[in-house]
Amino acid sequence: MTSATTTTCPVAIRIQEDDFDIAREIAVLTKSRTDIGAVVSFSGICRADEDSSKIAALTLEHYPGMAEEEIKRHVDEAMSRWPLNGVTVIHRVGRFEPGQNIVLVVTASQHRRAAFEAAEFLMDYLKTSAPFWKKEESATGTGWVEAHARDDEAAARWTKS
Amino acid sequence: MKVKYFAWVRERVGKAEEFIEPPATVRTVEELIAWLSGRGEAYAYAFEKPKVIRTAIDHAHVKADAAIAGAREIAFFPPMTGG
């Protein structure tokens, strides 16, 4: 039996405080697979400035239970729209300083276009639909990050007409 | 029913969750927000701009006109900012 005909699409969705290792996650997804021709990974990192203010740290809060279900719903939709051979989504919660990882999306497919598009689709929906909230710490105090209209616009372009 | 609050809605209400028993006349999410707003200053502050508030019933996003009948868990929160 050859693995070249494998068409399974393993899905891993994790919400955790711990950091992730991008290379390790890709290796887990592609191990013993010969049907995967493209892997796209996107990682979101805490940056030091938002608009004009300097950020000391970000705290991520989520809705346990719903967050996993909401990500799963969109992974299922991504799998129905693109021929994917593997999806991993990891979202961290807790307090992060600039330079630290926050989110990882890895998509695998036979060809690059599906992997690229599915990763972008998942990130657009993660930002606007998965129940996570960011609180910023800066020199002037703390405050909740406001949602951006540009994120809603990015997600809206995937809506089927 | 169980009600959960997240992010600044939680901070303004002053608690993460509670059990409530709204009267039978409260049928929709919109009506529930209005009823909660009448429960005190903290609630009125949290729901002062009801259009900004997002709602989930049993872990699924719903709109303001959604019926709350049969809901086990209703969550209120600001627009999401993860990712």
Side-chain angles (χ1 to χ4, degrees), chain B residues 22-66:
Chain B
T25 50
V26 174
R27 296 186 194 90
T28 64
V29 164
E30 211 166 14
E31 289 168 359
L32 181 60
I33 287 176
W35 180 76
L36 284 166
S37 299
R39 296 180 85 206
E41 272 181 38
Y43 292 93
Y45 179 41
F47 294 104
E48 65 179 353
K49 289 177 184 160
K51 283 190 165 54
V52 175
I53 305 292
R54 299 286 187 271
T55 308
I57 294 182
D58 296 335
H59 291 175
H61 293 291
V62 295
K63 292 189 172 151
D65 60 358

Side-chain angles (χ1 to χ4, degrees), chain A residues 61 63 73 129 133 135 144, chain B residues 10-11 59 61 73 78 81:
Chain A
E61 172 179 336
Y63 182 174
R73 277 192 278 270
S129 161
W133 301 274
K135 195 176 198 175
W144 292 94
Chain B
R10 170 178 50 75
E11 289 180 342
H59 291 175
H61 293 291
E73 184 172 294
T81 55

